[in-house]
Amino acid sequence: MSLHPDRLAVAQMGPNNRADSRAQIVERHIALMEEAASAGAGFVLFPELSLTTFFPRWLIEDEAELDSFYEAEMPNDGVATLFSRGRELGIGFSFGYAELAEEAGARHRYNTSILVDGQGRIAGKYRKVHLPGHSEPQPRTFQHLEKRYFEPGNLGFPTFPSMGRTFGICICNDRRWPETHRSLRLNGADTIIVGYNTPTDHTGHASVDALSLFHNQLSLQAAAYQNSVWVLGAAKCGVEDGSFMLGQSMIVAPSGEIVAQARSVADEVIVATCPVAETVPYRETIFSFEKHRRPECYGAITAPR
Ligand code: ING
């Protein structure tokens, strides 16, 4: 089947346990990529931190062990087969990883995602802006130490024209903040891609955690409708070393309608035909920013904390 630029896929991933090797995990990426291409998709989205377990659930005090979860270069030998398979198939892709960056002689750690086009070229990069959780360990079964292991993203909310559309990238917690999606839309996005690792015990309030699936769906649908964009959400899910993370990967149209949704909490590919043209009826009416938006009234949104 020939790959079509309007055909987009989400590759939901089941658990990456701490003992799983990069090679095993990359092999699963390749199998999912091949399934997406066989369904005619010209692009496939993988989850946040898709190369490793969600290690912020652990307190890791040994620097060398912590470094082992990060990628110091991208691409690198560990993902070379994924990049070459993408080139062979002519399919673009995006995945998240822990980035170890040398900047001005200092080491920095970010929760990062890249966009790769159908020729295997890196077409975009984003570093997670909204880091949930804590910097110090908490009295809980599983930690959420993203503020300990990552710095807030310093690239803003860039967008990337590629493969016939303009991609905006965000990561996990970012999807809960309307500022993320509005910034990406204002920066030109017509398609927002977001990977996530969402444990269902995050807040510790049973009444809130019981609504994890609803809040995921609400965040993705609102983002799509309120910004007239396509939204692709890719979960890493299932039980990773005892911690359950929700699935519910989905593709949402600019109408806010869910057009494809994963049903499992394992490796699963969903595909949909996502014409950019479907953004037009919304951008020409309800969400015509030129006609209706009133930025002079929105100062509170960007006022310093
Ligand atoms: N994970 C979670 C997310 O934002 C979370 C953290 C879970 C916040 C549940 C609120 C409720 O989906 C990451 N990695 O940001």
Side-chain angles (χ1 to χ4, degrees):
M1 176 182 261
S2 69
L3 306 189
H4 194 288
D6 279 351
R7 292 276 289 166
L8 307 181
V10 167
Q12 174 175 282
M13 292 185 69
N16 290 341
N17 288 310
R18 199 164 172 172
D20 294 349
S21 72
R22 275 293 194 295
Q24 287 169 317
I25 293 170
V26 169
E27 276 308 306
R28 284 173 44 218
H29 282 71
I30 291 170
L32 289 162
M33 174 186 271
E34 289 172 345
E35 185 179 344
S38 66
F43 170 80
V44 59
L45 172 65
F46 293 103
E48 169 191 32
L49 296 174
S50 71
L51 301 177
T52 63
T53 194
F54 185 70
F55 62 89
R57 72 167 65 87
W58 308 116
L59 175 59
I60 301 166
E61 301 193 273
D62 175 77
E63 179 100 3
E65 183 182 4
L66 182 61
D67 283 354
S68 72
F69 291 103
Y70 289 76
E71 313 297 324
E73 293 166 359
M74 188 50 73
N76 58 50
D77 291 348
V79 295
T81 51
L82 179 62
F83 275 73
S84 56
R85 193 68 181 115
R87 262 193 305 278
E88 284 165 13
L89 293 167
I91 186 170
F93 57 100
S94 173
F95 64 89
Y97 62 95
E99 178 189 7
L100 183 57
E102 296 273 345
E103 288 170 342
R107 283 157 59 104
H108 297 270
R109 299 173 188 274
Y110 300 105
N111 187 336
T112 297
S113 280
I114 53 168
L115 176 69
V116 183
D117 69 17
Q119 289 71 46
R121 295 174 305 218
I122 293 181
K125 177 170 172 175
Y126 169 75
R127 289 167 173 167
K128 185 174 183 179
V129 166
H130 299 96
L131 297 171
H134 318 283
S135 52
E136 294 304 320
Q138 304 294 306
R140 49 193 286 169
T141 309
F142 297 109
Q143 300 296 327
H144 199 118
L145 295 171
E146 289 197 59
K147 291 186 191 298
R148 186 183 188 92
Y149 298 143
F150 303 119
E151 292 174 48
N154 60 350
L155 302 177
F157 291 109
T159 58
F160 311 102
S162 181
M163 298 174 270
R165 53 205 322 131
T166 300
F167 287 89
I169 307 175
C170 64
I171 299 174
C172 205
N173 199 255
D174 286 326
R175 76 190 185 286
R176 301 176 192 278
W177 299 86
E179 295 88 344
T180 301
H181 310 291
R182 184 65 103 220
S183 300
L184 290 171
R185 160 73 198 277
L186 288 168
N187 290 340
D190 52 49
T191 305
I192 293 179
I193 55 177
V194 49
Y196 55 89
N197 288 224
T198 300
T200 56
D201 65 348
H202 183 77
T203 70
H205 297 283
S207 60
V208 177
D209 290 340
L211 293 170
S212 295
L213 287 169
F214 168 63
H215 291 154
N216 176 59
Q217 180 173 330
L218 180 65
S219 301
L220 296 174
Q221 286 186 279
Y225 170 65
Q226 292 177 343
N227 294 285
S228 315
V229 294
W230 286 94
V231 172
L232 280 65
K236 172 129 78 55
C237 54
V239 180
E240 282 193 345
D241 296 303
S243 169
F244 178 69
M245 297 189 294
L246 62 83
Q248 206 182 57
S249 302
M250 60 176 68
I251 298 173
V252 187
S255 63
E257 294 168 292
I258 298 172
V259 298
Q261 184 170 328
R263 301 174 60 209
S264 73
V265 283
D267 289 11
E268 179 178 348
V269 171
I270 57 174
V271 191
T273 300
C274 310
V276 170
E278 284 195 29
T279 65
V280 172
Y282 293 89
R283 295 190 177 198
E284 286 186 345
T285 58
I286 311 143
F287 292 108
S288 166
F289 282 3
E290 304 68 41
K291 275 190 226 147
H292 304 311
R293 221 177 129 253
R294 303 283 314 285
E296 66 276 13
C297 301
Y298 304 157
I301 291 178
T302 58
R305 286 184 289 192

